[in-house]
Every structure is written in structure tokens, then in C-alpha cells.
Amino acid sequence: MIIKQQKIAQRVKNIEVSAIRQMPILAQQYDDTVSLGQGIPAIPTPAYIREGVIELLKSDDNIGKYSLQPGLPELKQEIAKRVGQDAGRSVAADEEVIVTVGAMEGLVATIMALVEKGDEVIIFDPSYASYQEQIALAEGQVVPVPLRADDWSLDEKALRSAVTTRTKAIIVCSPSNPTGTVFSRAELAVIAEVAIKNDLIVITDETYSFLTYDQAEFTSLLTFPELKDRLVVCRSFSKEFAMTGWRVGYIYGPAYIIEQALKVQDAVVICAPTISQQAALIALTGKPQANDVDIKGVLAARRNFICQRLDQLPDLFSYTKPAGAYYILARYLKKTAWDSDKFARTLLAETGVITIPGGAFGSQSEGCIRMSFGGTEEDINEAFNRIEARNKKL
Ligand SMILES: Cc1ncc(COP(=O)(O)O)c(C=O)c1O
């Protein structure tokens, strides 16, 4: 007889499907749901990208073939140009860039290349939920460093005291999913200084680098030249170009890490899908059409709208207005004895509104739910109408 659980590797038993993706699956059992859940912008991939790909499908006989393993050379050149502009230095497309299957596979390839069993990796609490699973898969040890709960800013003392002789890396995400905060240059300077002083690698997830609001400004860790030999930048086409389903992103880092991450990519996916790489190349080099949506403008309007709706419920939620990305961590002020999983599940069962339990992102965001405002204004409106109606009954 097979004892099924004994057949499964412990490192996989140790990880879970993220709540971000579990909640929409759970929601399938309910009719008439409305989503503030997964971070998928309700914006179609711009027409200039889709039409460019249609043309290639007709004319390019290589579109259905593997690309070179690290990515299409023309795309890597464009990426190197972009990264080079941000970093203020020249970037070697061949040695320092890999086109990946979204930022996600870039993160995994980097973590698998660097983290050994028992190595400690610092992540901020709260952080994007997948980091915990990616580190666990590499058999590393997650070390959560709490952010300040009043505004999700960096707690310098907490960061410094989390470093040990086993610390291998720090993962940074700014603008942040799930907090919507954007680290200032001063906060990033602290992280850089701690990394250098303790000989750590910094992995920066810049999936939302394009998306800040009002006066907030994105600063890339690329602009700290002193980090050059210890910095891996993970970026994505998913959000900036409304291309979540195309699954394409890239990593940039020093050659000694990139050549090892490339081995992981080779073992896992060979290369990013060629058709998606072509779409990414068009995204970077093509011209939006007049009827293509202004993605940043649309998301800025949705952010103002969801904040207005939240401001009308001061007895139910408190929150920090997001300076970037398209998420809000809202602390619920009623039913505080419930953990966030129970709160999110009950909200779903009673109103059909999908949110993500804050506990999925770390212990600091227990007592919160994450709301994405990537959805349409109609959806946000409907979700808040339902939440408001339920609030009257709580
Ligand atoms: C912070 C962060 N990193 C990475 C990803 C994954 O991005 P990609 O679609 O490029 O794999 C997401 C997706 O929501 C994200 O929010």
C-alpha cells in the first residue's frame, strides 16, 4: 500500500498555493462574485502589442520555436538599454540579462541560484506572499522584518537586528504589493548600507516600478552603484503593459549570478515563450495606438475612487493611502477577534466580494484584508455597495 504523503518531498509539503490564487478558486463555488482579489489589471493588452503579434504569427516561421535560452537577443538589447538608462551605466545584454517567465520565474531562478539549505533570507513583513514559498522551496529560512504598522515604512532598527551570520539576502519590493508603499531614497540607502556592511545580496522586485501616484517617486536600487556586484533586479511586463497572461519578465544582475540563474531557467522552462518575448519587444519598441488605454492614468483614477469609498467607511476600515502599485491593506475595525482568513472568507460567503486575507503576507498584516484596485470602477463600486450594505448589519 502506498502511504501517499510519504511520497511527497518535504520541501514541497512545506509550501502552499498562495492565498492570492486560492481565494479566486474558493470563490468559484459562489454565484455572482465581484473581485478585489488577485492583482490582474482589468485592462486588455494594448492593441499595438496584440496587432504586432498577429502580424508575426502570419509572417515569422520562428514564432512557434524556442528562442535562444537566455532570451531573444533583440529583446535583451532593448532591456539592457532600459536598465542602463535607469542605472546610469552600460549593461551587457549577453552576460547580465535573462528574459524570464514573468518576474516570478526570475525570482525563483535567482533564489534557487543563491539560497542554500538553512540560509536566512530577510523579507519585509508584510511582503508579497510568494517570497515565503520561493525561499522555502530552496530550503532557506524566511526571516520576516516588520515594517512600521502605522504607515508600512522601514523600521531600520528591526532590519539591522535581523541580520545574522547566516543571512544571505534581502528581498525588497517597492512599490510594494501588498502595502502600496514606495520606499524613499533614504530607506533604500539604509538597506544598501546594511547589505554592504554584512556582505548580503539584494534582490529587488520592481514589478510596479512604473506605477506611483501624486508626488511619490520611484527610486530603483539600480541607482546605488555601490550595490552593483550584489544586486539582482527582477522586472515584469505583466502590469506595466497589461500582459499578465503572456508570462514574460526579466532579471538583471552581475554575471556571476546571472550565469547560475540561467542554469535554473534551463532546467525548469528552457526559455520564456517566444511569442511572449516578441510581444515584450513590441511593448518596448512599438507605439501605443490612440485607442490604447493609458494604464497608469486608469489605475490612478481607480485608486482615487477606492480611497473615496473607503473614506466613507471609517467605522469599518483604516488604511494607508497607497503611493504606488494597486493594492490597499485595509485594517478592519469590526470583528477584530476574527483572523483575516475568517474575515475574508465570511465576506466572500455573505457578499460575494473577493479579497485576500492580510495574514497571507505576514503577521503584521493580520487583521487586514488586501484589496486590489486593478478591477474596473464598476466592480469596485459594486464591491463597496455590498460591503457597505453588510456593514450596516454587523
Ligand atoms: C510584487 C510582485 N512580484 C511578482 C509578481 C509576479 O509577476 P509576473 O506576472 O511578472 O510573474 C507579482 C504579481 O502580482 C507581484 O505583485
Side-chain angles (χ1 to χ4, degrees):
M1 198 189 63
I2 288 186
I3 304 172
K4 293 177 183 165
Q5 279 310 305
Q6 284 184 5
K7 300 288 180 210
I8 306 300
Q10 190 57 45
R11 64 177 171 278
V12 172
K13 282 199 247 176
N14 288 345
I15 70 172
E16 282 178 16
V17 172
S18 143
I20 301 173
R21 288 170 281 276
Q22 264 175 20
M23 285 300 286
I25 293 170
L26 189 71
Q28 282 179 325
Q29 59 182 285
Y30 300 101
D31 294 330
D32 192 24
T33 56
V34 53
S35 184
L36 300 175
Q38 206 172 352
I40 307 172
I43 298 169
T45 304
Y48 80 99
I49 300 173
R50 288 189 286 163
E51 285 172 15
V53 171
I54 291 168
E55 283 312 309
L56 285 175
L57 278 170
K58 289 184 196 155
S59 62
D60 181 353
D61 288 344
N62 291 324
I63 193 93
K65 299 179 182 164
Y66 297 128
S67 74
L68 287 178
Q69 193 250 331
L72 287 174
E74 314 86 287
L75 176 59
K76 291 207 319 164
Q77 287 298 343
E78 280 305 318
I79 291 168
K81 222 194 287 173
R82 212 176 191 218
V83 172
Q85 275 161 7
D86 295 345
R89 60 176 174 259
S90 69
V91 164
D94 282 341
E95 283 120 49
E96 297 176 321
V97 175
I98 309 177
V99 182
T100 56
V101 182
M104 202 70 161
E105 188 252 324
L107 284 158
V108 172
T110 305
I111 289 168
M112 293 301 269
L114 293 170
V115 176
E116 294 193 82
K117 192 170 186 162
D119 279 353
E120 294 175 1
V121 181
I122 290 176
I123 62 171
F124 293 104
D125 176 359
S127 261
Y128 182 52
S130 297
Y131 304 151
Q132 297 169 43
E133 316 305 338
Q134 292 166 343
I135 295 163
L137 199 56
E139 301 186 75
Q141 203 61 42
V142 175
V143 178
V145 168
L147 295 171
R148 292 184 195 284
D150 49 348
D151 61 357
W152 307 122
S153 61
L154 180 74
D155 182 340
E156 179 176 341
K157 212 166 131 209
L159 173 62
R160 289 188 190 279
S161 62
V163 178
T164 74
T165 51
R166 299 237 49 170
T167 311
K168 179 59 108 19
I170 307 177
I171 302 183
V172 180
C173 180
S174 173
S176 162
N177 174 7
T179 65
T181 37
V182 180
F183 276 149
S184 66
R185 186 158 190 95
E187 288 172 305
L188 295 173
V190 169
I191 295 169
E193 190 253 304
V194 169
I196 292 166
K197 186 170 162 207
N198 297 285
D199 190 20
L200 310 179
I201 302 288
V202 181
I203 301 169
T204 181
D205 178 350
E206 298 189 346
T207 294
Y208 299 97
S209 59
F210 70 104
L211 192 57
T212 56
Y213 307 109
D214 302 337
Q215 270 49 268
E217 263 185 44
F218 166 68
T219 304
S220 173
L221 279 164
L222 279 171
T223 60
F224 291 78
E226 65 273 30
L227 286 180
K228 187 173 179 297
D229 292 333
R230 56 178 78 248
L231 179 71
V232 180
V233 181
C234 303
R235 287 185 175 171
S236 174
F237 289 86
S238 287
K239 316 288 167 136
E240 185 171 357
F241 298 100
M243 287 175 59
T244 53
W246 296 81
R247 311 304 305 124
V248 58
Y250 59 90
I251 56 176
Y252 159 75
Y256 75 93
I257 298 177
I258 290 296
E259 71 185 19
Q260 301 300 323
L262 206 46
K263 295 198 291 196
V264 182
Q265 167 150 310
D266 188 47
V268 178
V269 291
I270 304 178
C271 63
T274 303
I275 191 168
S276 303
Q277 295 191 61
Q278 290 287 7
L281 182 59
I282 296 165
L284 291 182
T285 56
K287 244 185 149 169
Q289 298 177 359
N291 57 349
D292 280 333
V293 173
D294 164 15
I295 295 174
K296 191 172 167 182
V298 165
L299 290 169
R302 290 177 188 170
R303 173 236 192 200
N304 292 341
F305 182 66
I306 196 170
C307 289
Q308 272 168 22
R309 293 300 306 252
L310 276 165
D311 290 343
Q312 287 160 10
L313 291 168
D315 62 326
L316 185 56
F317 295 115
S318 68
Y319 72 101
T320 300
K321 201 169 184 178
Y326 47 82
Y327 307 96
I328 291 177
L329 268 180
R331 192 168 293 282
Y332 47 88
L333 306 172
K334 290 182 178 175
K335 300 290 177 193
T336 50
W338 291 2
D339 67 20
S340 56
D341 196 62
K342 178 161 182 191
F343 191 94
R345 283 171 188 258
T346 310
L347 187 67
L348 172 62
E350 291 181 1
T351 66
V353 176
I354 306 170
T355 58
I356 309 296
F361 306 97
S363 59
Q364 288 278 104
S365 44
E366 233 339 312
C368 300
I369 49 173
R370 193 198 72 174
M371 299 174 172
S372 158
F373 50 93
T376 61
E377 213 158 289
E378 292 74 44
D379 276 355
I380 297 169
N381 196 39
E382 175 62 22
F384 273 83
N385 287 347
R386 294 184 193 188
I387 291 171
E388 220 166 70
R390 175 178 178 260
N391 187 34
K392 290 189 185 127
K393 295 187 214 143
L394 280 176

